[in-house]
Amino acid sequence: GRGIATRAVAMMLGEWPRRPLYATAAGRNGPSLRVLEKNGFEVVSRGRTPETARTVERETVVLVLR
Protein backbone atom coordinates (compact mmCIF):
# COMPACT_ATOMS: atom_id res chain seq x y z
CA GLY A 1 0.00 0.00 0.00
CA ARG A 2 0.84 3.65 0.17
CA GLY A 3 0.93 3.90 3.95
CA ILE A 4 -2.36 5.76 4.27
CA ALA A 5 -3.76 3.47 6.98
CA THR A 6 -0.47 3.52 8.90
CA ARG A 7 -0.46 7.33 8.90
CA ALA A 8 -4.14 7.50 9.86
CA VAL A 9 -3.58 5.22 12.86
CA ALA A 10 -0.50 7.23 13.86
CA MET A 11 -2.55 10.43 13.78
CA MET A 12 -5.31 8.86 15.88
CA LEU A 13 -2.77 7.59 18.41
CA GLY A 14 -1.35 11.11 18.70
CA GLU A 15 -4.79 12.34 19.69
CA TRP A 16 -5.46 9.46 22.10
CA PRO A 17 -2.62 9.33 24.67
CA ARG A 18 -4.29 6.81 26.99
CA ARG A 19 -2.27 3.60 27.43
CA PRO A 20 -2.40 0.70 27.38
CA LEU A 21 -4.52 0.61 24.25
CA TYR A 22 -5.80 -2.71 22.92
CA ALA A 23 -6.72 -3.67 19.37
CA THR A 24 -8.04 -6.82 17.75
CA ALA A 25 -7.72 -8.05 14.19
CA ALA A 26 -8.55 -11.20 12.30
CA GLY A 27 -5.54 -13.49 12.09
CA ARG A 28 -5.87 -13.69 8.30
CA ASN A 29 -5.86 -9.90 7.94
CA GLY A 30 -2.13 -9.39 7.44
CA PRO A 31 -2.38 -5.77 6.25
CA SER A 32 -4.26 -4.67 9.39
CA LEU A 33 -1.82 -6.52 11.63
CA ARG A 34 1.11 -4.81 9.87
CA VAL A 35 -0.47 -1.36 10.28
CA LEU A 36 -0.89 -1.92 14.01
CA GLU A 37 2.63 -3.35 14.44
CA LYS A 38 4.17 -0.44 12.50
CA ASN A 39 2.51 1.84 15.04
CA GLY A 40 4.06 0.05 18.01
CA PHE A 41 1.40 -2.51 18.88
CA GLU A 42 2.62 -5.92 20.06
CA VAL A 43 0.75 -9.22 19.77
CA VAL A 44 -0.28 -10.45 23.22
CA SER A 45 -2.54 -13.36 22.29
CA ARG A 46 -4.04 -15.38 19.49
CA GLY A 47 -7.27 -17.28 19.88
CA ARG A 48 -10.26 -18.71 18.08
CA THR A 49 -13.50 -16.77 17.86
CA PRO A 50 -16.35 -19.32 17.71
CA GLU A 51 -18.85 -19.53 14.90
CA THR A 52 -22.13 -17.72 15.44
CA ALA A 53 -25.31 -17.38 13.41
CA ARG A 54 -23.72 -14.37 11.65
CA THR A 55 -20.01 -15.27 11.46
CA VAL A 56 -17.70 -18.21 10.83
CA GLU A 57 -15.04 -19.43 13.25
CA ARG A 58 -11.84 -17.43 12.86
CA GLU A 59 -8.53 -16.63 14.48
CA THR A 60 -8.51 -13.39 16.44
CA VAL A 61 -5.28 -11.56 17.34
CA VAL A 62 -5.14 -9.20 20.33
CA LEU A 63 -2.46 -6.50 20.33
CA VAL A 64 -1.46 -3.91 22.91
CA LEU A 65 0.25 -0.54 22.72
CA ARG A 66 1.87 0.25 26.05
Side-chain angles (χ1 to χ4, degrees):
R2 297 183 312 207
I4 295 169
T6 301
R7 288 193 307 269
V9 170
M11 290 174 63
M12 187 272 311
L13 293 173
E15 297 294 319
W16 189 267
R18 216 166 142 184
R19 303 291 186 268
L21 186 61
Y22 291 87
T24 60
R28 293 178 53 183
N29 192 340
S32 290
L33 292 169
R34 280 192 297 281
V35 165
L36 293 166
E37 289 173 337
K38 285 180 182 180
N39 279 286
F41 282 82
E42 299 174 356
V43 174
V44 291
S45 70
R46 292 178 179 268
R48 305 291 306 166
T49 300
E51 183 175 346
T52 68
R54 294 175 32 190
T55 64
V56 296
E57 180 182 15
R58 64 192 178 282
E59 179 185 29
T60 301
V61 180
V62 178
L63 305 95
V64 65
L65 179 63
R66 298 183 205 282

Coordinates of all heavy atoms in Angstrom, one line a residue:
G1 N 0.8 -1.2 0.0 CA 0.0 0.0 0.0 C 0.9 1.3 0.0 O 2.1 1.2 -0.2
R2 N 0.2 2.3 0.2 CA 0.8 3.6 0.2 C 1.0 4.2 1.6 O 1.4 5.4 1.7 CB 0.0 4.6 -0.7 CG 0.0 4.2 -2.1 CD -0.8 5.2 -3.0 NE -2.0 5.6 -2.4 CZ -3.1 6.0 -3.0 NH1 -3.1 6.0 -4.3 NH2 -4.2 6.3 -2.4
G3 N 0.7 3.4 2.6 CA 0.9 3.9 4.0 C -0.2 4.8 4.5 O 0.0 5.4 5.6
I4 N -1.3 4.9 3.8 CA -2.4 5.8 4.3 C -2.9 5.3 5.6 O -3.1 6.1 6.5 CB -3.5 5.9 3.2 CG1 -2.9 6.5 1.9 CG2 -4.7 6.6 3.7 CD1 -3.8 6.5 0.7
A5 N -3.2 4.0 5.7 CA -3.8 3.5 7.0 C -2.8 3.6 8.1 O -3.1 4.0 9.2 CB -4.2 2.0 6.8
T6 N -1.5 3.4 7.9 CA -0.5 3.5 8.9 C -0.4 5.0 9.4 O -0.4 5.2 10.6 CB 0.9 3.1 8.4 OG1 0.8 1.7 8.0 CG2 2.0 3.2 9.4
R7 N -0.5 5.9 8.5 CA -0.5 7.3 8.9 C -1.7 7.7 9.6 O -1.7 8.5 10.6 CB -0.3 8.2 7.7 CG 1.2 8.2 7.1 CD 1.5 9.3 6.1 NE 0.5 9.4 5.0 CZ 0.6 8.7 3.9 NH1 1.6 7.9 3.6 NH2 -0.3 8.9 2.9
A8 N -2.9 7.2 9.2 CA -4.1 7.5 9.9 C -4.1 7.0 11.3 O -4.6 7.7 12.2 CB -5.3 6.9 9.1
V9 N -3.6 5.8 11.5 CA -3.6 5.2 12.9 C -2.6 6.0 13.7 O -2.9 6.3 14.9 CB -3.2 3.7 12.8 CG1 -2.9 3.2 14.2 CG2 -4.3 2.9 12.2
A10 N -1.5 6.4 13.1 CA -0.5 7.2 13.9 C -1.1 8.6 14.3 O -0.9 9.0 15.4 CB 0.7 7.5 13.0
M11 N -1.9 9.2 13.4 CA -2.6 10.4 13.8 C -3.6 10.2 14.9 O -3.6 11.0 15.8 CB -3.2 11.0 12.6 CG -2.3 11.6 11.5 SD -3.1 12.1 10.0 CE -4.1 13.4 10.6
M12 N -4.3 9.1 14.8 CA -5.3 8.9 15.9 C -4.6 8.6 17.2 O -5.0 9.1 18.2 CB -6.1 7.6 15.5 CG -7.3 7.3 16.4 SD -7.0 6.2 17.8 CE -6.1 4.8 17.2
L13 N -3.5 7.9 17.2 CA -2.8 7.6 18.4 C -2.2 8.9 19.0 O -2.1 9.0 20.2 CB -1.7 6.6 18.1 CG -2.1 5.2 17.8 CD1 -0.9 4.3 17.4 CD2 -2.9 4.5 18.9
G14 N -1.8 9.8 18.2 CA -1.3 11.1 18.7 C -2.4 11.9 19.4 O -2.1 12.7 20.3
E15 N -3.7 11.7 19.1 CA -4.8 12.3 19.7 C -5.3 11.6 20.9 O -6.2 12.1 21.6 CB -5.9 12.6 18.7 CG -5.5 13.5 17.5 CD -5.3 14.9 18.0 OE1 -6.0 15.4 18.8 OE2 -4.3 15.5 17.5
W16 N -4.9 10.3 21.0 CA -5.5 9.5 22.1 C -4.3 9.0 22.9 O -3.8 7.9 22.7 CB -6.2 8.3 21.5 CG -7.0 7.5 22.5 CD1 -6.6 6.4 23.1 CD2 -8.3 7.7 23.0 NE1 -7.5 5.9 24.0 CE2 -8.6 6.7 23.9 CE3 -9.3 8.7 22.7 CZ2 -9.8 6.7 24.6 CZ3 -10.4 8.6 23.4 CH2 -10.7 7.6 24.3
P17 N -3.8 9.7 23.9 CA -2.6 9.3 24.7 C -2.8 8.2 25.7 O -1.8 7.7 26.3 CB -2.2 10.6 25.4 CG -3.5 11.3 25.5 CD -4.4 11.0 24.3
R18 N -4.0 7.8 26.0 CA -4.3 6.8 27.0 C -3.6 5.5 26.6 O -3.8 5.0 25.5 CB -5.8 6.6 27.1 CG -6.3 6.4 28.5 CD -7.8 6.6 28.5 NE -8.3 5.6 29.4 CZ -9.6 5.4 29.5 NH1 -10.4 6.1 28.9 NH2 -10.0 4.5 30.4
R19 N -2.9 4.9 27.6 CA -2.3 3.6 27.4 C -2.5 2.8 28.7 O -2.6 3.3 29.8 CB -0.8 3.8 27.2 CG -0.4 4.6 26.0 CD -0.8 4.0 24.7 NE -0.3 4.8 23.5 CZ -1.0 5.7 22.9 NH1 -2.2 6.0 23.3 NH2 -0.5 6.3 21.8
P20 N -2.6 1.5 28.6 CA -2.4 0.7 27.4 C -3.7 0.8 26.5 O -4.8 1.1 27.0 CB -2.2 -0.7 27.9 CG -2.9 -0.8 29.2 CD -2.8 0.6 29.8
L21 N -3.4 0.6 25.2 CA -4.5 0.6 24.2 C -4.5 -0.7 23.6 O -3.5 -1.2 23.1 CB -4.3 1.7 23.2 CG -5.3 2.0 22.2 CD1 -6.6 2.4 22.9 CD2 -4.9 3.1 21.3
Y22 N -5.7 -1.4 23.5 CA -5.8 -2.7 22.9 C -6.5 -2.6 21.6 O -7.3 -1.8 21.3 CB -6.6 -3.6 23.8 CG -5.8 -4.0 25.1 CD1 -5.9 -3.2 26.2 CD2 -5.0 -5.1 25.2 CE1 -5.2 -3.4 27.4 CE2 -4.3 -5.4 26.3 CZ -4.4 -4.6 27.4 OH -3.7 -4.9 28.5
A23 N -6.1 -3.6 20.7 CA -6.7 -3.7 19.4 C -6.9 -5.1 19.0 O -6.1 -6.0 19.5 CB -5.8 -3.0 18.3
T24 N -7.9 -5.5 18.2 CA -8.0 -6.8 17.7 C -8.1 -6.8 16.2 O -8.5 -5.8 15.6 CB -9.3 -7.5 18.3 OG1 -10.4 -6.7 17.9 CG2 -9.3 -7.6 19.8
A25 N -7.7 -7.9 15.6 CA -7.7 -8.0 14.2 C -7.9 -9.5 13.9 O -7.5 -10.4 14.7 CB -6.5 -7.5 13.5
A26 N -8.5 -9.8 12.7 CA -8.6 -11.2 12.3 C -7.2 -11.7 12.0 O -6.3 -11.0 11.4 CB -9.5 -11.3 11.1
G27 N -6.9 -12.9 12.3 CA -5.5 -13.5 12.1 C -5.2 -13.5 10.6 O -4.0 -13.5 10.3
R28 N -6.1 -13.6 9.7 CA -5.9 -13.7 8.3 C -5.7 -12.3 7.7 O -5.4 -12.2 6.5 CB -7.0 -14.4 7.6 CG -7.1 -15.9 8.0 CD -8.2 -16.6 7.3 NE -8.2 -16.3 5.8 CZ -9.1 -16.8 5.0 NH1 -10.2 -17.4 5.5 NH2 -9.0 -16.5 3.7
N29 N -5.9 -11.3 8.5 CA -5.9 -9.9 7.9 C -4.5 -9.3 8.1 O -4.2 -8.4 9.0 CB -6.9 -9.0 8.6 CG -7.1 -7.7 7.9 OD1 -6.3 -7.3 7.2 ND2 -8.2 -7.1 8.2
G30 N -3.5 -9.8 7.3 CA -2.1 -9.4 7.4 C -1.9 -7.9 7.3 O -1.2 -7.3 8.1
P31 N -2.6 -7.2 6.4 CA -2.4 -5.8 6.3 C -2.8 -5.0 7.5 O -2.0 -4.1 7.9 CB -3.3 -5.4 5.1 CG -3.3 -6.6 4.2 CD -3.3 -7.8 5.2
S32 N -3.9 -5.4 8.2 CA -4.3 -4.7 9.4 C -3.3 -4.9 10.5 O -2.9 -4.0 11.3 CB -5.7 -5.1 9.8 OG -6.6 -4.6 8.9
L33 N -2.8 -6.2 10.6 CA -1.8 -6.5 11.6 C -0.5 -5.7 11.4 O 0.0 -5.2 12.4 CB -1.5 -8.0 11.6 CG -2.7 -8.9 12.1 CD1 -2.4 -10.4 11.8 CD2 -3.0 -8.7 13.6
R34 N -0.1 -5.6 10.2 CA 1.1 -4.8 9.9 C 0.9 -3.3 10.2 O 1.9 -2.7 10.8 CB 1.5 -5.0 8.4 CG 2.2 -6.3 8.1 CD 2.9 -6.3 6.8 NE 1.9 -6.2 5.7 CZ 1.2 -7.3 5.2 NH1 1.3 -8.4 5.8 NH2 0.3 -7.1 4.3
V35 N -0.2 -2.8 9.9 CA -0.5 -1.4 10.3 C -0.3 -1.2 11.8 O 0.3 -0.2 12.3 CB -1.9 -0.9 9.8 CG1 -2.3 0.4 10.4 CG2 -1.8 -0.8 8.3
L36 N -1.0 -2.0 12.5 CA -0.9 -1.9 14.0 C 0.5 -2.1 14.5 O 1.0 -1.3 15.4 CB -1.8 -2.9 14.7 CG -3.3 -2.7 14.4 CD1 -4.2 -3.9 14.8 CD2 -3.8 -1.4 15.2
E37 N 1.3 -3.1 14.0 CA 2.6 -3.4 14.4 C 3.6 -2.2 14.1 O 4.4 -1.8 14.8 CB 3.1 -4.7 13.9 CG 2.4 -5.9 14.6 CD 2.8 -7.2 14.0 OE1 3.2 -7.3 12.8 OE2 2.6 -8.2 14.7
K38 N 3.4 -1.6 12.9 CA 4.2 -0.4 12.5 C 4.0 0.7 13.4 O 4.8 1.6 13.6 CB 3.8 0.0 11.1 CG 4.4 -0.9 10.0 CD 4.0 -0.4 8.6 CE 4.5 -1.2 7.5 NZ 4.1 -0.7 6.2
N39 N 2.8 0.8 14.1 CA 2.5 1.8 15.0 C 2.8 1.5 16.5 O 2.4 2.1 17.4 CB 1.0 2.3 14.9 CG 0.9 3.2 13.7 OD1 1.2 4.4 13.8 ND2 0.3 2.7 12.6
G40 N 3.6 0.4 16.7 CA 4.1 0.0 18.0 C 3.3 -1.0 18.8 O 3.6 -1.3 19.9
F41 N 2.2 -1.5 18.2 CA 1.4 -2.5 18.9 C 2.2 -3.8 18.9 O 2.9 -4.1 17.9 CB 0.1 -2.7 18.2 CG -1.0 -1.7 18.5 CD1 -1.0 -0.5 17.8 CD2 -2.0 -1.9 19.4 CE1 -1.9 0.5 18.1 CE2 -2.9 -0.9 19.7 CZ -2.9 0.3 19.0
E42 N 2.0 -4.6 19.9 CA 2.6 -5.9 20.1 C 1.5 -7.0 20.3 O 0.6 -6.7 21.0 CB 3.6 -6.0 21.3 CG 4.7 -5.0 21.2 CD 5.5 -4.9 22.5 OE1 5.2 -5.6 23.4 OE2 6.5 -4.2 22.5
V43 N 1.7 -8.1 19.6 CA 0.8 -9.2 19.8 C 0.9 -9.8 21.2 O 2.0 -10.1 21.7 CB 1.0 -10.3 18.7 CG1 0.1 -11.5 19.0 CG2 0.8 -9.8 17.3
V44 N -0.3 -9.9 21.9 CA -0.3 -10.4 23.2 C -1.0 -11.8 23.3 O -0.8 -12.6 24.2 CB -0.9 -9.5 24.3 CG1 0.1 -8.3 24.5 CG2 -2.3 -9.0 23.9
S45 N -1.9 -12.1 22.3 CA -2.5 -13.4 22.3 C -3.2 -13.6 20.9 O -3.5 -12.7 20.2 CB -3.6 -13.5 23.4 OG -4.7 -12.7 23.1
R46 N -3.3 -14.9 20.7 CA -4.0 -15.4 19.5 C -5.0 -16.4 20.0 O -4.7 -17.2 20.8 CB -3.1 -16.0 18.5 CG -2.1 -15.1 17.8 CD -1.2 -15.8 16.9 NE -0.3 -14.9 16.2 CZ -0.5 -14.3 15.1 NH1 -1.6 -14.6 14.4 NH2 0.4 -13.5 14.6
G47 N -6.2 -16.3 19.5 CA -7.3 -17.3 19.9 C -8.3 -17.5 18.8 O -8.2 -16.9 17.7
R48 N -9.2 -18.4 19.0 CA -10.3 -18.7 18.1 C -11.5 -18.0 18.5 O -11.9 -18.1 19.7 CB -10.5 -20.2 18.0 CG -9.3 -21.0 17.7 CD -8.7 -20.9 16.3 NE -9.6 -21.2 15.2 CZ -9.3 -20.8 14.0 NH1 -8.2 -20.3 13.7 NH2 -10.2 -21.0 13.0
T49 N -12.2 -17.3 17.6 CA -13.5 -16.8 17.9 C -14.5 -17.8 17.3 O -14.4 -18.2 16.2 CB -13.7 -15.4 17.2 OG1 -12.7 -14.5 17.7 CG2 -15.1 -14.8 17.4
P50 N -15.4 -18.3 18.2 CA -16.4 -19.3 17.7 C -17.3 -18.8 16.6 O -17.6 -17.7 16.5 CB -17.1 -19.7 19.0 CG -17.0 -18.6 19.9 CD -15.7 -17.9 19.5
E51 N -17.8 -19.8 15.9 CA -18.8 -19.5 14.9 C -20.1 -19.1 15.6 O -20.5 -19.6 16.6 CB -19.1 -20.8 14.1 CG -20.1 -20.6 12.9 CD -20.2 -21.9 12.1 OE1 -19.3 -22.7 12.2 OE2 -21.1 -21.9 11.3
T52 N -20.8 -18.1 15.0 CA -22.1 -17.7 15.4 C -23.1 -17.8 14.3 O -22.7 -18.2 13.2 CB -22.1 -16.3 16.0 OG1 -21.9 -15.4 14.9 CG2 -21.1 -16.1 17.1
A53 N -24.3 -17.4 14.5 CA -25.3 -17.4 13.4 C -24.9 -16.4 12.3 O -25.3 -16.6 11.1 CB -26.7 -17.0 14.0
R54 N -24.1 -15.4 12.6 CA -23.7 -14.4 11.7 C -22.3 -14.5 11.2 O -21.9 -13.8 10.2 CB -23.9 -13.0 12.3 CG -25.4 -12.7 12.5 CD -25.7 -11.4 13.2 NE -24.7 -10.4 12.9 CZ -24.7 -9.2 13.6 NH1 -25.5 -9.0 14.5 NH2 -23.8 -8.3 13.2
T55 N -21.4 -15.2 11.8 CA -20.0 -15.3 11.5 C -19.5 -16.7 11.5 O -20.1 -17.6 12.1 CB -19.1 -14.4 12.4 OG1 -19.2 -15.0 13.7 CG2 -19.6 -13.0 12.5
V56 N -18.4 -16.9 10.8 CA -17.7 -18.2 10.8 C -16.6 -18.2 11.9 O -16.2 -17.1 12.3 CB -17.1 -18.5 9.4 CG1 -18.2 -18.7 8.4 CG2 -16.1 -17.5 9.1
E57 N -16.2 -19.4 12.3 CA -15.0 -19.4 13.2 C -13.8 -18.8 12.6 O -13.6 -19.0 11.4 CB -14.7 -20.9 13.6 CG -13.6 -21.0 14.6 CD -13.3 -22.5 14.9 OE1 -13.7 -23.4 14.2 OE2 -12.6 -22.7 15.9
R58 N -13.0 -18.1 13.4 CA -11.8 -17.4 12.9 C -10.8 -17.2 14.0 O -11.2 -17.2 15.1 CB -12.2 -16.1 12.2 CG -12.7 -15.1 13.2 CD -13.3 -13.9 12.4 NE -13.9 -12.9 13.3 CZ -15.1 -13.0 13.9 NH1 -15.8 -14.1 13.8 NH2 -15.5 -12.1 14.7
E59 N -9.6 -17.0 13.5 CA -8.5 -16.6 14.5 C -8.6 -15.1 14.8 O -8.8 -14.3 13.9 CB -7.2 -16.9 13.9 CG -6.0 -16.6 14.8 CD -4.6 -16.7 14.3 OE1 -4.5 -16.6 13.0 OE2 -3.7 -17.0 15.0
T60 N -8.5 -14.8 16.0 CA -8.5 -13.4 16.4 C -7.2 -13.1 17.1 O -6.7 -13.9 18.0 CB -9.7 -13.1 17.4 OG1 -10.9 -13.4 16.7 CG2 -9.7 -11.6 17.8
V61 N -6.6 -12.0 16.8 CA -5.3 -11.6 17.3 C -5.5 -10.3 18.2 O -6.2 -9.4 17.8 CB -4.2 -11.3 16.2 CG1 -2.9 -10.8 16.8 CG2 -4.1 -12.4 15.3
V62 N -5.0 -10.3 19.4 CA -5.1 -9.2 20.3 C -3.8 -8.6 20.4 O -2.8 -9.3 20.6 CB -5.6 -9.6 21.7 CG1 -5.7 -8.4 22.7 CG2 -7.0 -10.3 21.6
L63 N -3.7 -7.3 20.3 CA -2.5 -6.5 20.3 C -2.6 -5.4 21.4 O -3.7 -5.0 21.7 CB -2.1 -5.9 19.0 CG -2.1 -6.8 17.8 CD1 -3.4 -6.8 17.1 CD2 -1.0 -6.4 16.8
V64 N -1.5 -5.0 21.9 CA -1.5 -3.9 22.9 C -0.4 -2.9 22.6 O 0.7 -3.2 22.1 CB -1.3 -4.5 24.3 CG1 0.1 -5.1 24.5 CG2 -1.5 -3.4 25.4
L65 N -0.7 -1.6 22.8 CA 0.3 -0.5 22.7 C 0.4 0.0 24.1 O -0.5 0.5 24.8 CB -0.3 0.6 21.8 CG 0.6 1.8 21.7 CD1 1.9 1.4 21.0 CD2 -0.1 2.9 20.9
R66 N 1.6 -0.2 24.7 CA 1.9 0.3 26.0 C 2.4 1.7 26.1 O 2.9 2.2 25.2 CB 2.9 -0.7 26.7 CG 2.4 -2.1 26.7 CD 3.4 -3.0 27.4 NE 3.3 -4.4 27.0 CZ 2.3 -5.2 27.4 NH1 1.4 -4.8 28.3 NH2 2.3 -6.5 27.0

